[in-house]
């Protein structure tokens, strides 16, 4: 039976009432009403900070970086030197058509010496890049059909320990693939570099780093989303509004940061060189039957390539704002959560049971309604901007290549209408934008 909005709200408040309360010592009996009020405000602020800190730990996020992996490692134990040697020389090996030969000479290594989360994330990143290079070394006309055991088996085992699929994900290439040139400097594009890269030069570097900075711009919005969720539990309308304002500002900052893409990524290079290397083997006409993981399975496995649909940040905002995508679009976005680290996936699911829109509809607060609508409008604006970027970087170069009959080594026409995750690109992007638009409270 479908519950009404009010029933969902009551269920949410009773189920999620915050048990993490920090009690401070009471003010003494000589306190004035003013000091008692100040004390209570201080206690509430302390409780709020402690609650958020517990959330950050539970969902593996940080206030400054959001979903980005904090201080990714760049080295593994010496036992794994062959993996790092290939990864550090990947562009040259792909361009010289020698990567596959090098992989065929690799020993099968055990991942048992990888001892912590950051080592596992680096191993997943490195094996993911090498695997993509191996599969797509010869371009769209000759993709590899089998991933050799020396890659496939340890990659599958590392993936199992992380709760991620054995393919290069957005969580790898964007969230865990960065380092600072000057460790004492700021996290800005001029002071950042990739740990592992594909052919495409500065456009490749720019694509992944701008995507990372867009994610980082969303970090304060994730904090705002958590604040909204907790404020709902006590019907704190002021707290909900403040959290929504934070989300709106974050979405606006994400859009502004996205504009850096035009300064750092050449559309021809992105479409003709880079894009194929983030393409997967599910819903992909270049590998319609999937990829055989030698030593893992006797049948080909279907996995989607890295995609912005795998951004936990955007899916969190959808979940918070009660934006429910349906049919194919909804199924695709839900499936993309399987490509996120489990803790990040858990945050989306936690926010998904937060009936914010119904809560706002049940309260006669024009301020709250306006704050919610501002959030939705900012998300729609960001999705519109993404649509325009896709047109510039995928649709237009694809049409030009098709018109010229140019059989580029890259994707060429094979994925002109599909995203690297396998979705029907423009239909999907318009669908998520339009669904968000419909959430506005009129």
């Amino acid at each position: 039976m479908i519950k009404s909005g009010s029933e969902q709200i009551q269920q949410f408040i009773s189920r999620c009432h915050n048990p993490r309360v920090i009690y401070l010592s009471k003010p003494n009996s000589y306190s004035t009403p003013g000091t008692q009020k100040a004390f209570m405000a201080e206690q509430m602020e302390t409780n709020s900070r402690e609650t958020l800190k517990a959330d950050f730990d539970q969902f593996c996020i940080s206030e400054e970086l959001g979903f980005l992996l904090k201080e990714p490692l760049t080295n593994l134990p010496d036992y794994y030197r062959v993996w790092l040697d290939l990864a550090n020389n990947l562009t040259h090996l792909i361009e010289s058509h020698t990567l596959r030969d090098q992989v065929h000479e690799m020993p099968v290594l055990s991942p048992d010496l990888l001892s912590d989360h950051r080592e596992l994330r680096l191993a997943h990143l490195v094996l993911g890049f090498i695997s993509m290079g191996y599969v797509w070394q010869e371009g769209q006309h000759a993709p590899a059909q089998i991933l050799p055991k020396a890659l496939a088996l340890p990659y599958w085992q590392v993936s199992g320990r992380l709760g991620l699929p054995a393919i290069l994900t957005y969580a790898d290439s964007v969230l865990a693939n960065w380092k600072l040139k000057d460790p004492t400097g700021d996290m800005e594009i001029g002071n950042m570099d990739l740990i592992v890269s594909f052919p495409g030069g500065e456009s490749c570097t720019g694509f992944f780093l701008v995507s990372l900075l867009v994610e980082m711009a969303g970090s304060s919005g994730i904090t705002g989303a958590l604040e909204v969720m907790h404020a709902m539990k006590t019907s704190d309308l002021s707290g909900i509004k403040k959290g929504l304002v934070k989300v709106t500002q974050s979405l606006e900052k994400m859009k502004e940061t996205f504009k850096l893409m035009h300064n750092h990524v050449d559309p021809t290079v992105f479409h003709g060189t880079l894009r194929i290397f983030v393409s997967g083997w599910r819903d992909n006409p270049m590998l319609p039957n999937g990829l055989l993981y030698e030593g893992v399975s006797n049948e080909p496995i279907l996995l989607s390539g890295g995609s912005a649909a795998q951004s936990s940040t955007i899916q969190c905002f959808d979940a918070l704002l009660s934006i429910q995508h349906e049919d194919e679009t909804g199924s695709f976005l839900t499936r993309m959560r399987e490509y996120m680290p489990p803790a990040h996936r858990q945050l989306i699911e936690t926010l998904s049971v937060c009936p914010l829109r119904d809560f706002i509809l049940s309260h006669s607060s024009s301020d709250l309604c306006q704050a919610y609508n501002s959030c939705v409008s900012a998300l729609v604006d960001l999705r519109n901007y993404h649509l325009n970027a896709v047109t510039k970087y995928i649709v237009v170069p694809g049409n030009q290549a098709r018109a010229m009959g140019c059989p580029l080594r890259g994707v060429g026409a094979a994925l002109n209408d599909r995203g690297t995750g396998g979705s029907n690109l423009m239909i999907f992007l318009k669908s998520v934008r339009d669904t968000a638009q419909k959430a506005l409270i009129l």
Side-chain angles (χ1 to χ4, degrees):
M1 185 174 70
I2 298 175
K3 293 182 174 63
S4 68
S6 59
E7 286 177 314
Q8 287 179 317
I9 293 164
Q10 288 304 316
Q11 186 182 60
F12 169 78
I13 292 172
S14 62
R15 181 174 67 248
C16 298
H17 188 73
N18 183 13
R20 296 191 290 245
V21 178
I22 311 300
Y23 292 98
L24 302 181
S25 57
K26 295 180 180 179
N28 63 53
S29 58
Y30 300 104
S31 298
T32 66
T35 52
Q36 289 180 355
K37 186 175 180 180
F39 171 81
M40 293 303 296
E42 181 183 343
Q43 178 170 314
M44 288 176 66
E45 176 66 22
T46 301
N47 289 349
S48 176
R49 296 306 305 170
E50 290 294 331
T51 298
L52 284 174
K53 185 178 183 305
D55 287 337
F56 295 151
D57 292 343
Q58 179 182 353
F59 299 119
C60 293
I61 53 179
S62 73
E63 190 167 12
E64 303 80 16
L65 301 179
F67 291 106
L68 270 60
L69 180 65
K70 191 174 183 179
E71 298 177 354
L73 298 179
T74 57
N75 282 300
L76 292 171
D78 284 344
Y79 174 73
Y80 303 104
R81 174 53 53 192
V82 63
W83 293 354
L84 286 175
D85 286 345
L86 291 184
N88 292 334
N89 203 27
L90 192 63
T91 294
H92 169 72
L93 293 172
I94 292 171
E95 292 177 340
S96 63
H97 300 269
T98 56
L99 175 61
R100 289 180 181 174
D101 295 335
Q102 294 288 319
V103 169
H104 294 158
E105 296 176 6
M106 270 175 51
V108 180
L109 302 181
S110 166
D112 290 349
L113 297 181
L114 300 168
S115 58
D116 62 29
H117 181 75
R118 288 195 302 158
E119 284 189 350
L120 287 166
R121 289 291 293 274
L122 178 57
H124 201 267
L125 171 74
V126 164
L127 293 171
F129 265 81
I130 296 170
S131 295
M132 290 303 207
Y134 182 92
V135 170
W136 301 114
Q137 174 181 286
E138 301 303 323
Q140 63 173 325
H141 299 298
Q145 305 290 321
I146 300 172
L147 197 65
K149 184 177 180 179
L151 265 181
L153 185 57
Y155 195 14
W156 194 267
Q157 292 167 333
V158 167
S159 299
R161 288 173 65 182
L162 286 171
L164 288 169
I167 193 169
L168 188 71
T169 67
Y170 186 91
D172 299 313
S173 60
V174 174
L175 303 182
N177 189 25
W178 63 275
K179 59 185 177 181
L180 296 179
K181 296 176 182 177
D182 174 6
T184 64
D186 294 331
M187 282 189 68
E188 56 186 20
I189 199 161
N191 189 41
M192 300 182 76
D193 206 351
L194 301 177
I195 298 171
V196 194
S197 187
F198 287 127
E202 292 181 1
S203 287
C204 174
T205 303
F207 174 73
F208 289 123
L209 289 182
V210 171
S211 299
L212 175 149
L213 292 172
V214 171
E215 286 288 322
M216 198 168 90
S219 61
S220 60
I222 298 303
T223 302
L226 290 167
E227 290 173 351
V228 169
M229 182 180 72
H230 291 302
M232 280 183 63
K233 297 170 188 175
T234 55
S235 297
D236 175 8
L237 303 190
S238 174
I240 293 171
K241 180 184 173 184
K242 287 178 182 176
L244 286 172
V245 168
K246 195 174 286 188
V247 174
T248 300
Q249 292 171 340
S250 182
L251 282 162
E252 291 169 347
K253 187 177 179 183
M254 290 173 76
K255 179 184 169 183
E256 284 304 306
T257 306
F258 201 164
K259 294 178 180 179
L260 291 172
M261 197 72 75
H262 303 295
N263 301 329
H264 295 278
V265 184
D266 179 272
T268 304
V269 175
F270 174 78
H271 181 272
T273 301
L274 173 60
R275 192 168 178 243
I276 195 169
F277 292 107
V278 290
S279 301
W281 28 93
R282 174 171 178 160
D283 300 321
N284 185 343
M286 294 182 286
L287 276 172
N289 299 317
L291 183 70
L292 185 69
Y293 286 65
E294 187 180 37
V296 172
S297 172
N298 293 324
E299 299 293 330
I301 292 169
L302 298 167
L303 290 171
S304 299
S307 161
Q310 295 171 10
S311 166
S312 301
T313 302
I314 296 298
Q315 289 220 32
C316 274
F317 293 150
D318 272 344
L320 173 73
L321 298 171
S322 309
I323 296 170
Q324 297 180 338
H325 301 280
E326 298 178 345
D327 303 326
E328 254 185 80
T329 297
S331 298
F332 177 74
L333 284 170
T334 300
R335 183 162 59 81
M336 288 299 99
R337 294 179 190 175
E338 299 169 9
Y339 294 75
M340 302 172 185
H344 299 176
R345 193 186 313 153
Q346 184 187 359
L347 176 54
I348 297 169
E349 291 164 359
T350 300
L351 291 170
S352 293
V353 297
C354 171
L356 175 63
R357 193 172 186 276
D358 286 338
F359 182 95
I360 291 172
L361 286 170
S362 70
H363 288 73
S364 301
S365 169
S366 58
D367 283 354
L368 207 54
C369 185
Q370 184 177 352
Y372 174 86
N373 280 346
S374 294
C375 255
V376 172
S377 296
L379 180 57
V380 171
D381 284 348
L382 178 61
R383 284 191 156 130
N384 266 326
Y385 197 84
H386 188 202
L387 262 167
N388 293 333
V390 166
T391 300
K392 175 179 178 178
Y393 284 94
I394 298 173
V395 177
V396 172
N399 290 340
Q400 289 172 343
R402 182 186 293 151
M404 294 170 62
C406 179
L408 295 175
R409 192 187 70 154
V411 174
L415 284 184
N416 276 355
D417 302 320
R418 290 205 166 267
T420 48
S423 65
N424 192 318
L425 193 55
M426 297 304 283
I427 292 175
F428 169 76
L429 293 175
K430 289 175 181 176
S431 173
V432 292
R433 177 203 58 191
D434 294 346
T435 301
Q437 182 87 41
K438 290 174 185 173
L440 287 168
I441 298 174
L442 304 176

